[in-house]
Amino acid sequence: MDIEKIDSDRFFLIILTLSAIVSVIFVILVSVSAIASEVVDIYFQYADEVMGGRAPQMEYPPFALLLLMIPRLFTDDPFVYEALFVAQTYVFFAVGLWIVRRLAAFFGKSQNLIMLVYAAFSFLMIEFIADRYDIFPIVLTLLSLYLFVTKRYISALLLLSIATMTKMYPVVLFPIYIIPFFVDRDWKNALRITGFLAAVMALLIIIPYAAGTGLITDFIGYHSGRPLQVESVAASFISVAKMLGLTDAWVEYSYGSFNLMGDWPNAVSSYMTALMGVCMLAAYAVYAGLLLKLRREGSDADKQMILFGSGALLTLLLFMMAGLVFSAQYVLWAVPFILFLLLMPIGETAKKKLLILSVVVLFLTQLNVVVNISLCGGNMEDPGLLIIFARNIALLVLAHHVFRIARDCVGGRGPSSPRSFLKFWA
């Protein structure tokens, strides 16, 4: 069946219907099986504490609590809470589906194809869509992306700020949004949006303090001193070294995750924060340098957008790979910008490779969870650790491919577009 022949409105409803069915099946499976649910085991407990008049000590930023509280306002039954929470994730999935459709329409690309890819990615990782809250910051980030490319920059930064206070990872995207204005020497608007951003972030930090809670300090304190999570890139290389008899290491459960312990992991973990900082600075420097080179060659809106999407995606990938903590659902953070690049004129070969690598990363991530958690209960053996290693190698290859997309965009001629991308008040 040629999906291009299906009316886009009808295709939108078909995907929404399929997603609703998948969500219902997921809730039923969780309720009748022994599958562990983070929603019931963690989120419900946090919400219950708030209903009891206590501020929970969370590993999440303050705005996450608002979203975790909504289902609890309607029930005190854990199963009903689970069902309502999944319904809430379904609503956000639907909003995300609408946004990617609007992005495709804006760029004159196939709405049905991009909706199909969005749905396929989501269904492939359904456990992490329905049983985690990452779909909330992901869709907020996706909406900020849409607002930014349609020149509603203040609204885009406001949404990105809210996403950051829901889950911290979008904070690394702020320079990607702001650097183009400095490169374009649009000083007035560069300072204006930077000042706006500083005010918004200060307000979002002050509000929890004003409410008399310790959500910010609890969040920072929880993550300081965490060990090296076994799924992290550094841990996967040490795991392979252990298999080769080069070092001794073992897996322990703490901080809500399985972590790699031993002399090498302990030594490496002390340098990971500095490594992450270096990676972020390098990503911003490369992004700014490519934008400067593009500006010298002459403005090209399509190339600017390719650099924007590839710069954001590469920054997120480096942030994930250089981190101490790398939970399975983190790979979903990259989805908005993968979809964005698939809409860009980067060439069919580059698009196919981007799509294939993305599917491989998502599949291996899900396989890791099935083998290491569902089947082995966290008792990770060498085959399971090799799955993690393979996923991380695929991530490194994906990051390299995204870098080449950015580099080739500036080095090649590429198509041009009459749309102005950097005029703030256009």
PDB file of all heavy atoms in Angstrom, residues 16-30 82-83 85-91 93 123 126 129-130:
ATOM      1  N   LEU A  16      -3.235   7.691  15.303  1.00  0.00           N
ATOM      2  CA  LEU A  16      -3.775   7.950  16.638  1.00  0.00           C
ATOM      3  C   LEU A  16      -4.557   6.740  17.149  1.00  0.00           C
ATOM      4  O   LEU A  16      -4.471   6.388  18.337  1.00  0.00           O
ATOM      5  CB  LEU A  16      -4.665   9.186  16.619  1.00  0.00           C
ATOM      6  CG  LEU A  16      -3.975  10.553  16.524  1.00  0.00           C
ATOM      7  CD1 LEU A  16      -5.014  11.667  16.612  1.00  0.00           C
ATOM      8  CD2 LEU A  16      -2.940  10.723  17.625  1.00  0.00           C
ATOM      9  N   THR A  17      -5.315   6.115  16.265  1.00  0.00           N
ATOM     10  CA  THR A  17      -6.093   4.933  16.657  1.00  0.00           C
ATOM     11  C   THR A  17      -5.175   3.776  17.030  1.00  0.00           C
ATOM     12  O   THR A  17      -5.367   3.104  18.054  1.00  0.00           O
ATOM     13  CB  THR A  17      -7.031   4.510  15.513  1.00  0.00           C
ATOM     14  OG1 THR A  17      -7.903   5.600  15.173  1.00  0.00           O
ATOM     15  CG2 THR A  17      -7.871   3.304  15.926  1.00  0.00           C
ATOM     16  N   LEU A  18      -4.160   3.530  16.195  1.00  0.00           N
ATOM     17  CA  LEU A  18      -3.201   2.464  16.497  1.00  0.00           C
ATOM     18  C   LEU A  18      -2.485   2.724  17.820  1.00  0.00           C
ATOM     19  O   LEU A  18      -2.277   1.805  18.624  1.00  0.00           O
ATOM     20  CB  LEU A  18      -2.181   2.343  15.365  1.00  0.00           C
ATOM     21  CG  LEU A  18      -2.673   1.733  14.054  1.00  0.00           C
ATOM     22  CD1 LEU A  18      -1.591   1.820  12.985  1.00  0.00           C
ATOM     23  CD2 LEU A  18      -3.111   0.289  14.257  1.00  0.00           C
ATOM     24  N   SER A  19      -2.110   3.978  18.047  1.00  0.00           N
ATOM     25  CA  SER A  19      -1.433   4.332  19.291  1.00  0.00           C
ATOM     26  C   SER A  19      -2.340   4.108  20.498  1.00  0.00           C
ATOM     27  O   SER A  19      -1.882   3.651  21.547  1.00  0.00           O
ATOM     28  CB  SER A  19      -0.970   5.789  19.240  1.00  0.00           C
ATOM     29  OG  SER A  19      -0.345   6.158  20.445  1.00  0.00           O
ATOM     30  N   ALA A  20      -3.625   4.431  20.351  1.00  0.00           N
ATOM     31  CA  ALA A  20      -4.569   4.206  21.441  1.00  0.00           C
ATOM     32  C   ALA A  20      -4.677   2.717  21.762  1.00  0.00           C
ATOM     33  O   ALA A  20      -4.692   2.310  22.936  1.00  0.00           O
ATOM     34  CB  ALA A  20      -5.937   4.774  21.075  1.00  0.00           C
ATOM     35  N   ILE A  21      -4.725   1.886  20.716  1.00  0.00           N
ATOM     36  CA  ILE A  21      -4.814   0.437  20.911  1.00  0.00           C
ATOM     37  C   ILE A  21      -3.562  -0.083  21.615  1.00  0.00           C
ATOM     38  O   ILE A  21      -3.643  -0.877  22.566  1.00  0.00           O
ATOM     39  CB  ILE A  21      -5.016  -0.273  19.560  1.00  0.00           C
ATOM     40  CG1 ILE A  21      -6.383   0.099  18.975  1.00  0.00           C
ATOM     41  CG2 ILE A  21      -4.885  -1.781  19.715  1.00  0.00           C
ATOM     42  CD1 ILE A  21      -6.586  -0.389  17.548  1.00  0.00           C
ATOM     43  N   VAL A  22      -2.393   0.370  21.150  1.00  0.00           N
ATOM     44  CA  VAL A  22      -1.129  -0.052  21.758  1.00  0.00           C
ATOM     45  C   VAL A  22      -1.072   0.375  23.222  1.00  0.00           C
ATOM     46  O   VAL A  22      -0.616  -0.389  24.095  1.00  0.00           O
ATOM     47  CB  VAL A  22       0.064   0.529  20.972  1.00  0.00           C
ATOM     48  CG1 VAL A  22       1.368   0.308  21.725  1.00  0.00           C
ATOM     49  CG2 VAL A  22       0.144  -0.092  19.586  1.00  0.00           C
ATOM     50  N   SER A  23      -1.550   1.578  23.530  1.00  0.00           N
ATOM     51  CA  SER A  23      -1.533   2.076  24.904  1.00  0.00           C
ATOM     52  C   SER A  23      -2.419   1.236  25.812  1.00  0.00           C
ATOM     53  O   SER A  23      -2.042   0.903  26.944  1.00  0.00           O
ATOM     54  CB  SER A  23      -1.982   3.545  24.941  1.00  0.00           C
ATOM     55  OG  SER A  23      -1.093   4.370  24.215  1.00  0.00           O
ATOM     56  N   VAL A  24      -3.599   0.882  25.320  1.00  0.00           N
ATOM     57  CA  VAL A  24      -4.527   0.051  26.102  1.00  0.00           C
ATOM     58  C   VAL A  24      -3.920  -1.332  26.345  1.00  0.00           C
ATOM     59  O   VAL A  24      -3.976  -1.858  27.469  1.00  0.00           O
ATOM     60  CB  VAL A  24      -5.886  -0.072  25.383  1.00  0.00           C
ATOM     61  CG1 VAL A  24      -6.760  -1.125  26.073  1.00  0.00           C
ATOM     62  CG2 VAL A  24      -6.602   1.272  25.360  1.00  0.00           C
ATOM     63  N   ILE A  25      -3.331  -1.916  25.306  1.00  0.00           N
ATOM     64  CA  ILE A  25      -2.689  -3.233  25.449  1.00  0.00           C
ATOM     65  C   ILE A  25      -1.564  -3.162  26.473  1.00  0.00           C
ATOM     66  O   ILE A  25      -1.404  -4.068  27.309  1.00  0.00           O
ATOM     67  CB  ILE A  25      -2.161  -3.723  24.086  1.00  0.00           C
ATOM     68  CG1 ILE A  25      -3.326  -4.032  23.143  1.00  0.00           C
ATOM     69  CG2 ILE A  25      -1.275  -4.957  24.262  1.00  0.00           C
ATOM     70  CD1 ILE A  25      -2.905  -4.367  21.733  1.00  0.00           C
ATOM     71  N   PHE A  26      -0.801  -2.076  26.438  1.00  0.00           N
ATOM     72  CA  PHE A  26       0.299  -1.930  27.393  1.00  0.00           C
ATOM     73  C   PHE A  26      -0.221  -1.896  28.827  1.00  0.00           C
ATOM     74  O   PHE A  26       0.325  -2.554  29.715  1.00  0.00           O
ATOM     75  CB  PHE A  26       1.095  -0.659  27.090  1.00  0.00           C
ATOM     76  CG  PHE A  26       2.234  -0.414  28.037  1.00  0.00           C
ATOM     77  CD1 PHE A  26       3.452  -1.048  27.843  1.00  0.00           C
ATOM     78  CD2 PHE A  26       2.093   0.422  29.136  1.00  0.00           C
ATOM     79  CE1 PHE A  26       4.508  -0.839  28.725  1.00  0.00           C
ATOM     80  CE2 PHE A  26       3.136   0.633  30.018  1.00  0.00           C
ATOM     81  CZ  PHE A  26       4.349  -0.002  29.809  1.00  0.00           C
ATOM     82  N   VAL A  27      -1.274  -1.124  29.075  1.00  0.00           N
ATOM     83  CA  VAL A  27      -1.852  -1.036  30.422  1.00  0.00           C
ATOM     84  C   VAL A  27      -2.348  -2.406  30.885  1.00  0.00           C
ATOM     85  O   VAL A  27      -2.122  -2.807  32.035  1.00  0.00           O
ATOM     86  CB  VAL A  27      -3.001  -0.011  30.454  1.00  0.00           C
ATOM     87  CG1 VAL A  27      -3.729  -0.066  31.801  1.00  0.00           C
ATOM     88  CG2 VAL A  27      -2.467   1.398  30.215  1.00  0.00           C
ATOM     89  N   ILE A  28      -2.999  -3.145  29.994  1.00  0.00           N
ATOM     90  CA  ILE A  28      -3.511  -4.470  30.346  1.00  0.00           C
ATOM     91  C   ILE A  28      -2.360  -5.423  30.682  1.00  0.00           C
ATOM     92  O   ILE A  28      -2.411  -6.165  31.673  1.00  0.00           O
ATOM     93  CB  ILE A  28      -4.369  -5.039  29.196  1.00  0.00           C
ATOM     94  CG1 ILE A  28      -5.641  -4.204  29.026  1.00  0.00           C
ATOM     95  CG2 ILE A  28      -4.719  -6.502  29.457  1.00  0.00           C
ATOM     96  CD1 ILE A  28      -6.467  -4.571  27.813  1.00  0.00           C
ATOM     97  N   LEU A  29      -1.294  -5.404  29.861  1.00  0.00           N
ATOM     98  CA  LEU A  29      -0.142  -6.269  30.102  1.00  0.00           C
ATOM     99  C   LEU A  29       0.507  -5.969  31.450  1.00  0.00           C
ATOM    100  O   LEU A  29       0.886  -6.886  32.191  1.00  0.00           O
ATOM    101  CB  LEU A  29       0.887  -6.110  28.978  1.00  0.00           C
ATOM    102  CG  LEU A  29       0.536  -6.749  27.632  1.00  0.00           C
ATOM    103  CD1 LEU A  29       1.593  -6.420  26.585  1.00  0.00           C
ATOM    104  CD2 LEU A  29       0.403  -8.266  27.781  1.00  0.00           C
ATOM    105  N   VAL A  30       0.641  -4.707  31.776  1.00  0.00           N
ATOM    106  CA  VAL A  30       1.250  -4.339  33.058  1.00  0.00           C
ATOM    107  C   VAL A  30       0.377  -4.797  34.217  1.00  0.00           C
ATOM    108  O   VAL A  30       0.873  -5.279  35.246  1.00  0.00           O
ATOM    109  CB  VAL A  30       1.484  -2.815  33.127  1.00  0.00           C
ATOM    110  CG1 VAL A  30       1.891  -2.394  34.539  1.00  0.00           C
ATOM    111  CG2 VAL A  30       2.563  -2.396  32.135  1.00  0.00           C
ATOM    112  N   GLU A  82      -1.866   4.348  36.912  1.00  0.00           N
ATOM    113  CA  GLU A  82      -1.106   3.880  35.746  1.00  0.00           C
ATOM    114  C   GLU A  82      -1.877   4.137  34.457  1.00  0.00           C
ATOM    115  O   GLU A  82      -1.327   4.649  33.472  1.00  0.00           O
ATOM    116  CB  GLU A  82      -0.818   2.387  35.888  1.00  0.00           C
ATOM    117  CG  GLU A  82      -0.272   1.725  34.649  1.00  0.00           C
ATOM    118  CD  GLU A  82       1.236   1.646  34.620  1.00  0.00           C
ATOM    119  OE1 GLU A  82       1.851   1.518  35.687  1.00  0.00           O
ATOM    120  OE2 GLU A  82       1.792   1.709  33.511  1.00  0.00           O
ATOM    121  N   ALA A  83      -3.171   3.778  34.461  1.00  0.00           N
ATOM    122  CA  ALA A  83      -3.987   3.956  33.256  1.00  0.00           C
ATOM    123  C   ALA A  83      -4.102   5.433  32.879  1.00  0.00           C
ATOM    124  O   ALA A  83      -3.996   5.793  31.700  1.00  0.00           O
ATOM    125  CB  ALA A  83      -5.380   3.354  33.484  1.00  0.00           C
ATOM    126  N   PHE A  85      -2.009   7.808  33.702  1.00  0.00           N
ATOM    127  CA  PHE A  85      -0.691   8.297  33.293  1.00  0.00           C
ATOM    128  C   PHE A  85      -0.422   7.926  31.834  1.00  0.00           C
ATOM    129  O   PHE A  85       0.065   8.757  31.053  1.00  0.00           O
ATOM    130  CB  PHE A  85       0.400   7.707  34.188  1.00  0.00           C
ATOM    131  CG  PHE A  85       1.771   8.264  33.911  1.00  0.00           C
ATOM    132  CD1 PHE A  85       2.221   9.386  34.585  1.00  0.00           C
ATOM    133  CD2 PHE A  85       2.609   7.667  32.979  1.00  0.00           C
ATOM    134  CE1 PHE A  85       3.482   9.913  34.337  1.00  0.00           C
ATOM    135  CE2 PHE A  85       3.875   8.188  32.721  1.00  0.00           C
ATOM    136  CZ  PHE A  85       4.301   9.311  33.397  1.00  0.00           C
ATOM    137  N   VAL A  86      -0.741   6.692  31.453  1.00  0.00           N
ATOM    138  CA  VAL A  86      -0.561   6.271  30.064  1.00  0.00           C
ATOM    139  C   VAL A  86      -1.455   7.101  29.144  1.00  0.00           C
ATOM    140  O   VAL A  86      -1.056   7.467  28.030  1.00  0.00           O
ATOM    141  CB  VAL A  86      -0.843   4.767  29.912  1.00  0.00           C
ATOM    142  CG1 VAL A  86      -0.837   4.365  28.439  1.00  0.00           C
ATOM    143  CG2 VAL A  86       0.193   3.955  30.675  1.00  0.00           C
ATOM    144  N   ALA A  87      -2.672   7.420  29.598  1.00  0.00           N
ATOM    145  CA  ALA A  87      -3.547   8.290  28.808  1.00  0.00           C
ATOM    146  C   ALA A  87      -2.905   9.665  28.610  1.00  0.00           C
ATOM    147  O   ALA A  87      -3.007  10.268  27.536  1.00  0.00           O
ATOM    148  CB  ALA A  87      -4.905   8.433  29.498  1.00  0.00           C
ATOM    149  N   GLN A  88      -2.224  10.136  29.642  1.00  0.00           N
ATOM    150  CA  GLN A  88      -1.533  11.424  29.551  1.00  0.00           C
ATOM    151  C   GLN A  88      -0.377  11.355  28.546  1.00  0.00           C
ATOM    152  O   GLN A  88      -0.179  12.283  27.760  1.00  0.00           O
ATOM    153  CB  GLN A  88      -1.011  11.813  30.936  1.00  0.00           C
ATOM    154  CG  GLN A  88      -0.432  13.201  31.024  1.00  0.00           C
ATOM    155  CD  GLN A  88      -0.018  13.561  32.446  1.00  0.00           C
ATOM    156  OE1 GLN A  88      -0.388  14.600  32.964  1.00  0.00           O
ATOM    157  NE2 GLN A  88       0.764  12.706  33.085  1.00  0.00           N
ATOM    158  N   THR A  89       0.381  10.262  28.567  1.00  0.00           N
ATOM    159  CA  THR A  89       1.464  10.115  27.587  1.00  0.00           C
ATOM    160  C   THR A  89       0.892  10.012  26.171  1.00  0.00           C
ATOM    161  O   THR A  89       1.506  10.496  25.211  1.00  0.00           O
ATOM    162  CB  THR A  89       2.331   8.882  27.882  1.00  0.00           C
ATOM    163  OG1 THR A  89       1.555   7.684  27.756  1.00  0.00           O
ATOM    164  CG2 THR A  89       2.935   8.959  29.272  1.00  0.00           C
ATOM    165  N   TYR A  90      -0.290   9.412  26.049  1.00  0.00           N
ATOM    166  CA  TYR A  90      -0.946   9.317  24.735  1.00  0.00           C
ATOM    167  C   TYR A  90      -1.280  10.699  24.196  1.00  0.00           C
ATOM    168  O   TYR A  90      -1.094  10.981  23.001  1.00  0.00           O
ATOM    169  CB  TYR A  90      -2.205   8.454  24.840  1.00  0.00           C
ATOM    170  CG  TYR A  90      -3.051   8.472  23.590  1.00  0.00           C
ATOM    171  CD1 TYR A  90      -2.689   7.701  22.481  1.00  0.00           C
ATOM    172  CD2 TYR A  90      -4.189   9.262  23.514  1.00  0.00           C
ATOM    173  CE1 TYR A  90      -3.464   7.718  21.324  1.00  0.00           C
ATOM    174  CE2 TYR A  90      -4.970   9.288  22.359  1.00  0.00           C
ATOM    175  CZ  TYR A  90      -4.599   8.519  21.268  1.00  0.00           C
ATOM    176  OH  TYR A  90      -5.354   8.540  20.118  1.00  0.00           O
ATOM    177  N   VAL A  91      -1.769  11.565  25.065  1.00  0.00           N
ATOM    178  CA  VAL A  91      -2.084  12.935  24.646  1.00  0.00           C
ATOM    179  C   VAL A  91      -0.825  13.636  24.137  1.00  0.00           C
ATOM    180  O   VAL A  91      -0.843  14.305  23.094  1.00  0.00           O
ATOM    181  CB  VAL A  91      -2.718  13.726  25.811  1.00  0.00           C
ATOM    182  CG1 VAL A  91      -2.829  15.214  25.460  1.00  0.00           C
ATOM    183  CG2 VAL A  91      -4.097  13.161  26.151  1.00  0.00           C
ATOM    184  N   PHE A  93       1.871  12.152  22.971  1.00  0.00           N
ATOM    185  CA  PHE A  93       2.220  11.509  21.699  1.00  0.00           C
ATOM    186  C   PHE A  93       1.435  12.139  20.560  1.00  0.00           C
ATOM    187  O   PHE A  93       1.982  12.420  19.485  1.00  0.00           O
ATOM    188  CB  PHE A  93       1.924  10.010  21.771  1.00  0.00           C
ATOM    189  CG  PHE A  93       1.991   9.308  20.442  1.00  0.00           C
ATOM    190  CD1 PHE A  93       3.194   8.802  19.972  1.00  0.00           C
ATOM    191  CD2 PHE A  93       0.851   9.168  19.653  1.00  0.00           C
ATOM    192  CE1 PHE A  93       3.270   8.166  18.740  1.00  0.00           C
ATOM    193  CE2 PHE A  93       0.914   8.533  18.413  1.00  0.00           C
ATOM    194  CZ  PHE A  93       2.120   8.028  17.961  1.00  0.00           C
ATOM    195  N   PHE A 123       6.551   3.317  18.756  1.00  0.00           N
ATOM    196  CA  PHE A 123       6.092   1.953  19.014  1.00  0.00           C
ATOM    197  C   PHE A 123       7.267   1.027  19.324  1.00  0.00           C
ATOM    198  O   PHE A 123       7.147   0.101  20.129  1.00  0.00           O
ATOM    199  CB  PHE A 123       5.303   1.415  17.820  1.00  0.00           C
ATOM    200  CG  PHE A 123       4.004   2.133  17.569  1.00  0.00           C
ATOM    201  CD1 PHE A 123       3.377   2.067  16.342  1.00  0.00           C
ATOM    202  CD2 PHE A 123       3.412   2.898  18.570  1.00  0.00           C
ATOM    203  CE1 PHE A 123       2.177   2.727  16.105  1.00  0.00           C
ATOM    204  CE2 PHE A 123       2.217   3.572  18.350  1.00  0.00           C
ATOM    205  CZ  PHE A 123       1.596   3.480  17.112  1.00  0.00           C
ATOM    206  N   ILE A 126       7.909   1.617  23.004  1.00  0.00           N
ATOM    207  CA  ILE A 126       6.644   1.915  23.677  1.00  0.00           C
ATOM    208  C   ILE A 126       6.765   1.870  25.195  1.00  0.00           C
ATOM    209  O   ILE A 126       6.133   2.656  25.906  1.00  0.00           O
ATOM    210  CB  ILE A 126       5.520   0.953  23.194  1.00  0.00           C
ATOM    211  CG1 ILE A 126       4.171   1.347  23.812  1.00  0.00           C
ATOM    212  CG2 ILE A 126       5.881  -0.485  23.485  1.00  0.00           C
ATOM    213  CD1 ILE A 126       3.716   2.743  23.485  1.00  0.00           C
ATOM    214  N   ILE A 129       7.907   5.154  26.258  1.00  0.00           N
ATOM    215  CA  ILE A 129       6.934   6.219  26.000  1.00  0.00           C
ATOM    216  C   ILE A 129       5.844   6.178  27.072  1.00  0.00           C
ATOM    217  O   ILE A 129       5.475   7.195  27.654  1.00  0.00           O
ATOM    218  CB  ILE A 129       6.299   6.059  24.606  1.00  0.00           C
ATOM    219  CG1 ILE A 129       7.352   6.232  23.503  1.00  0.00           C
ATOM    220  CG2 ILE A 129       5.153   7.044  24.423  1.00  0.00           C
ATOM    221  CD1 ILE A 129       7.888   7.631  23.363  1.00  0.00           C
ATOM    222  N   ALA A 130       5.327   4.978  27.343  1.00  0.00           N
ATOM    223  CA  ALA A 130       4.176   4.839  28.235  1.00  0.00           C
ATOM    224  C   ALA A 130       4.547   4.736  29.704  1.00  0.00           C
ATOM    225  O   ALA A 130       3.762   5.132  30.574  1.00  0.00           O
ATOM    226  CB  ALA A 130       3.353   3.613  27.832  1.00  0.00           C
TER     227      ALA A 130
END
